Amino acid sequence: MKSLPPLVPRPSVILVLELLGIDDPSMPEGRRRQAFELVEQYLGRALLGDKLAKRQGLQLLVTGRQVIRIAPIKPGGTRLFDELLDIVHLQGDLILEGVFIRGALTLGDVATRVGRAVGSGIDHAARLCTEVADVPRVIVDPRLIREAEGNADLRAEHHAVPQELGYIRDILRRDGDGLWFVDYLKACASEVEDHSAYVNIIDQHGLLIEQRLNASVQLDGTSRTWTWLWQYHNMIVGEWQAAQRDNIAEWEPFFIPSQSPLVYAFPPSIKPPR
C-alpha cells in the first residue's frame, strides 16, 4: 500500500473564527445555510475553483461554529491586506444573516493536506480567538503586521512598504486594550455597492445589537459581547455623523440608545464636580 507523503509544516497566515449565533436554535435553517455559504464564498475561494486561490494554497476547514483558514506564506501567495478584506466582506454580509464573528489572524507553522491541517500555528490562533479576542472582533497579531512590513511575500509587488502598511492601517482599529482588530463596520463603507447598501448594514447591525441587549438581564461574559458591540457601533455612527456635518440628522436614528438593562448613560446635565 502506497504511503502518503509526510506532512511538512511551513510558515502560514492563520485565521481562526467563531460564528456567533450560528448554533442558536431559533435561527432558521435557511439563514444558517446561507451563513456557511458566505464563509465558503469569502474564505474558501479555492473550493469554488478560484485559480489564484488554488495557487496560493488556501485551505479552509469548518467544524460546527469554528472556521480555520490557512494561507502559506510564499511568493505569489496571499497579501495580509487581502486577508483583512476577506474578513470585512464576510462580516458585512453575515450581519444580514444575524451572525457576528470573533477570531484572530496570526502566523505560525502549519502542515496541510486536503481536509487536514496540523501545527503549532493553529493551536496559537485558536488560543488567541478564545482567550484574547474575547468579544466579537477579529484581532490581528502584531507579529503578523511586523512580518508584512519585512516580508515582501505578504505585500503587493507594486507597493512600497509605507504604502502597503497604509492600506493595512486603514482597515484596522486599535481597541482600548491596545489590540488591533478588523474595523469591519467602517471598512464596509468603501466595499459595498452604494450608500444605501451601507446604511442598510448599519441599520441591521444596530437592530441586532439592540435586540440582544434588551434580551440580556445581567452583566456576564456573554452579555459583554453586546455591550462591546454597542460601544463600537455608536462610535462608528458618531464618526460618520461628525464627518458629515451638513447631514447630521441622517445618522441620528442609527445610534443605539442606552435604555437596555446592560448600559447606562448619564444625563447630559450631569457634570463632574470641580
Side-chain angles (χ1 to χ4, degrees), residues 93-259:
D93 279 4
L94 283 177
I95 288 167
L96 304 180
E97 304 303 328
V99 175
F100 291 102
I101 58 178
R102 172 175 59 214
L105 189 66
T106 184
L107 78 166
D109 293 334
V110 182
T112 63
R113 190 174 284 151
V114 176
R116 183 181 176 191
V118 295
S120 59
I122 291 180
D123 297 334
H124 176 61
R127 183 184 63 81
L128 291 180
C129 175
T130 57
E131 298 179 13
V132 183
D134 190 35
V135 291
R137 58 181 179 172
V138 179
I139 61 172
V140 181
D141 192 332
R143 296 183 307 124
L144 180 55
I145 303 175
R146 293 191 186 98
E147 184 70 17
E149 185 176 1
N151 189 337
D153 290 339
L154 287 171
R155 304 192 304 265
E157 293 182 0
H158 57 286
H159 285 171
V161 173
Q163 186 180 15
E164 186 77 9
L165 290 179
Y167 280 109
I168 292 170
R169 174 65 184 86
D170 190 50
I171 213 168
L172 298 177
R173 181 178 293 263
R174 174 164 271 169
D175 213 342
D177 56 5
L179 298 177
W180 292 101
F181 71 99
V182 179
D183 192 4
Y184 65 88
L185 200 56
K186 176 186 174 185
C188 276
S190 59
E191 297 300 318
V192 296
E193 296 178 357
D194 52 40
H195 179 68
S196 62
Y198 180 63
V199 169
N200 185 46
I201 289 174
I202 291 284
D203 185 37
Q204 291 302 310
H205 192 264
L207 288 174
L208 281 171
I209 298 167
E210 191 169 2
Q211 289 169 3
R212 302 300 200 280
L213 283 171
N214 291 337
S216 302
V217 296
Q218 64 181 4
L219 283 174
D220 54 25
T222 300
S223 66
R224 184 171 179 271
T225 291
W226 312 119
T227 58
W228 184 88
L229 277 169
W230 170 76
Q231 184 179 29
Y232 173 57
H233 175 94
N234 281 355
M235 183 187 304
I236 297 300
V237 173
E239 289 176 0
W240 279 111
Q241 190 178 60
Q244 301 180 16
R245 292 185 175 277
D246 58 336
N247 199 15
I248 290 178
E250 178 189 9
W251 294 99
E252 197 63 35
F254 299 109
F255 282 104
I256 303 173
S258 54
Q259 297 173 349

Side-chain angles (χ1 to χ4, degrees), residues 82-102:
D82 291 335
E83 293 288 311
L84 299 173
L85 204 57
D86 283 343
I87 296 167
V88 169
H89 283 286
L90 176 61
Q91 179 63 99
D93 279 4
L94 283 177
I95 288 167
L96 304 180
E97 304 303 328
V99 175
F100 291 102
I101 58 178
R102 172 175 59 214

Side-chain angles (χ1 to χ4, degrees), residues 14 33 68 98 102-103 178 192 202 269:
I14 306 143
R33 187 165 51 250
I68 301 173
R102 172 175 59 214
V192 296
I202 291 284
S269 60

